[in-house]
Amino acid sequence: MKNDLTSSFRPAIVMTGLFAILLGVGYPLAMTGIAQTLFPHQANGSLVMDRGKPIGSELIGQGFASGRYFHARPSAAGKGYDGMASGGSNFGPTSQALVDRMKDDIKALKPPTAGQPIPADLVAASGSGLDPDISPEAARYQAPAIAKVRGIPQERVAALIDASVETPLLPFLGDPHVNVLALNRQLDQLAAPVAR
């Protein structure tokens, strides 16, 4: 009887161990190897490098404090753009804390033209708090102030924005957007003096 129990449990134990090794070690190693071979940039976090050092990721938003740069959406992730505390604020539309934060954000934006509506994504945080993109309208809204601070023609900044707009493959897959980090890097190159 004891021998019968042992012989009936043995295949279950062997199969559990086999599939644990196969699916817990073999499959992840195979997928990692394939990803590193075919898509190394994406598999390593889509890092943006500058002089051999990572300065950000194409997929994770970050804050820009200077008026020389385009600003991303407000972040409710930790103390702002904290990848370890990704998440929204969970404030509802009747929350006074949300209203106060949005009022502060609106004051900080200083509308370039009286009566010009502020794009919603400049005052509304994303669900993750780490959205790297803004709408083209949000970028265009910030353009006059950035052009003034940098002392470059507003038309050049507007052309840079237009060239940076990414559209989805199919219209129902999302809206046109601009990656803030990529736009700011191009802005630095645009404003850099020409070497002679």
Side-chain angles (χ1 to χ4, degrees), residues 136-150:
E137 294 77 23
R140 289 184 191 106
Y141 183 88
Q142 298 176 69
I146 291 168
K148 184 177 180 183
V149 169
R150 287 188 174 252

Side-chain angles (χ1 to χ4, degrees), residues 39-185:
F39 308 104
H41 178 68
Q42 294 86 341
N44 292 308
S46 300
L47 296 178
V48 177
M49 308 296 280
D50 186 21
R51 297 185 198 120
K53 294 183 180 179
I55 59 168
S57 170
E58 296 169 1
L59 306 175
I60 299 176
Q62 56 184 295
F64 291 90
S66 171
R68 296 175 50 81
Y69 293 104
F70 287 93
H71 295 265
R73 295 179 72 162
S75 175
K79 293 183 180 179
Y81 304 100
D82 180 2
M84 299 299 286
S86 174
S89 68
N90 294 329
F91 290 138
T94 59
S95 167
Q96 190 59 45
L98 176 64
V99 171
D100 292 341
R101 188 205 40 88
M102 290 180 92
K103 282 182 181 176
D104 291 342
D105 288 344
I106 290 169
K107 281 182 197 171
L109 286 171
K110 298 176 189 139
T113 308
Q116 183 177 357
I118 297 172
D121 53 331
L122 289 180
V123 293
S126 67
S128 69
L130 301 172
D131 191 350
D133 303 319
I134 56 175
S135 66
E137 294 77 23
R140 289 184 191 106
Y141 183 88
Q142 298 176 69
I146 291 168
K148 184 177 180 183
V149 169
R150 287 188 174 252
I152 55 179
Q154 187 175 332
E155 295 77 26
R156 290 187 72 193
V157 177
L160 184 65
I161 293 168
D162 291 341
S164 301
V165 174
E166 298 174 31
T167 55
L169 186 61
L170 298 171
F172 61 85
L173 294 178
D175 295 319
H177 57 275
V178 178
N179 185 284
V180 177
L181 177 58
L183 183 60
N184 283 335
R185 292 192 74 214

